[in-house]
């Protein structure tokens, strides 16, 4: 994981540019995590528009972002019993079209003082509990590097006791800003 983080950071100035359809990736990741979801008693739903959401990027890297965020929601937010993934299309202020992704859980949330450091490598809110879950604390650092290498931004909003939402945006292949 550390090696792949360095690789992604080194390559951050080279924007990955193959057309990637997002919804099939999300379905594939959710299928792969279905066992974990069942174990934790969590129902996962995917909300997406009917038209394909095709962004410019690297399929494997984007898959890792979804894996990290959805696995986190299942592991740390399981008490909320449901995880919702929402994909939509939006315009940015420059007139370019983009895809917006949100992964939301209804678990314990993340105390505000931790949010600024959450995407640092090895940062864990509750190291004892994360260790039980097998986490190394690098998933969000990788996710952030990948999203930023794609020209997007990753955002977190969380309210203690109510859950967390991780969001990011990705430019469309035919975005006018290109
Ligand atoms: P890894 O992803 O490397 O297996 P990890 O899951 O511990 O390990 P990150 O994905 O970077 O590492 O997450 C960092 C920490 O942020 C987690 O250890 C956890 O404390 C907290 N966290 C992440 N997602 C959530 C969430 N949805 N709800 C509550 N806490 C979260
Ligand atoms: Mg993780």
């Amino acid at each position: 994981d550390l090696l792949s983080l360095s690789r992604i950071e080194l390559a951050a100035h080279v924007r990955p540019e193959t057309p990637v359809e997002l919804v099939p990736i999300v379905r594939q990741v959710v299928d792969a995590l279905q066992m974990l979801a069942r174990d934790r008693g969590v129902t996962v739903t995917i909300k997406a528009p009917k038209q394909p959401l095709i962004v410019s990027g690297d399929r494997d890297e984007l898959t890792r972002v979804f894996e990290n965020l959805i696995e986190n929601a299942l592991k740390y937010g399981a008490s909320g019993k449901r995880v919702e993934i929402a994909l939509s299309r939006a315009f940015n202020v420059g007139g370019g079209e983009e895809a917006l992704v949100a992964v939301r859980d209804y678990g314990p949330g993340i105390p505000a003082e931790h949010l600024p450091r959450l995407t640092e490598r090895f940062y864990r809110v509750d190291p004892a509990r994360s260790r039980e879950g097998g986490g190394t604390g690098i998933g969000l650092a990788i996710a952030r590097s990948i999203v930023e290498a794609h020209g997007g931004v990753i955002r977190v909003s969380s309210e203690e006791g109510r859950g967390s939402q991780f969001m990011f945006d990705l430019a469309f292949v035919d975005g006018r800003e290109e």
Side-chain angles (χ1 to χ4, degrees):
D1 272 354
L2 262 184
L3 277 175
S4 60
L5 181 58
S6 327
R7 189 173 41 74
I8 291 157
E9 281 173 351
L10 278 173
H13 59 286
V14 191
R15 187 125 158 220
E17 312 202 293
T18 33
V20 180
E21 200 178 328
L22 288 183
V23 178
I25 296 185
V26 177
R27 291 197 201 289
Q28 186 192 311
V29 170
V30 168
D31 281 350
L33 290 169
Q34 206 56 62
M35 287 273 276
L36 177 63
R38 211 173 303 140
D39 272 3
R40 307 282 165 123
V42 178
T43 305
V44 183
T45 57
I46 302 171
K47 232 200 272 172
K50 292 230 161 53
Q51 326 91 291
L53 289 173
I54 301 171
V55 302
S56 187
D58 179 289
R59 190 175 203 281
D60 292 345
E61 290 189 355
L62 293 174
T63 302
R64 294 195 72 167
V65 175
F66 285 110
E67 278 169 359
N68 280 314
L69 296 183
I70 298 168
E71 187 185 280
N72 281 354
L74 290 171
K75 284 200 310 203
Y76 309 115
S79 60
K81 299 283 172 215
R82 63 199 156 101
V83 166
E84 294 164 357
I85 303 152
L87 297 105
S88 57
R89 57 172 66 211
F91 285 96
N92 59 38
V93 286
E97 259 193 297
E98 53 185 28
L100 295 180
V101 179
V103 177
R104 171 184 282 260
D105 70 67
Y106 296 86
I110 301 162
E113 67 265 27
H114 293 287
L115 294 178
R117 300 193 55 195
L118 210 59
T119 58
E120 287 176 17
R121 53 181 82 179
F122 307 125
Y123 193 82
R124 288 166 308 172
V125 172
D126 179 349
R129 221 178 48 189
S130 306
R131 213 173 297 122
E132 274 170 43
T136 53
I138 209 169
L140 285 174
I142 292 176
R144 180 183 178 176
S145 300
I146 292 172
V147 168
E148 289 180 355
H150 281 75
V153 177
I154 187 159
R155 292 188 172 78
V156 194
S157 68
S158 184
E159 224 183 307
E160 264 189 273
R162 300 202 151 206
S164 310
Q165 179 164 236
F166 287 79
M167 293 150 286
F168 62 94
D169 58 303
L170 296 167
F172 273 168
V173 161
D174 293 315
R176 265 174 288 175
E177 88 264 61
E178 299 298 325

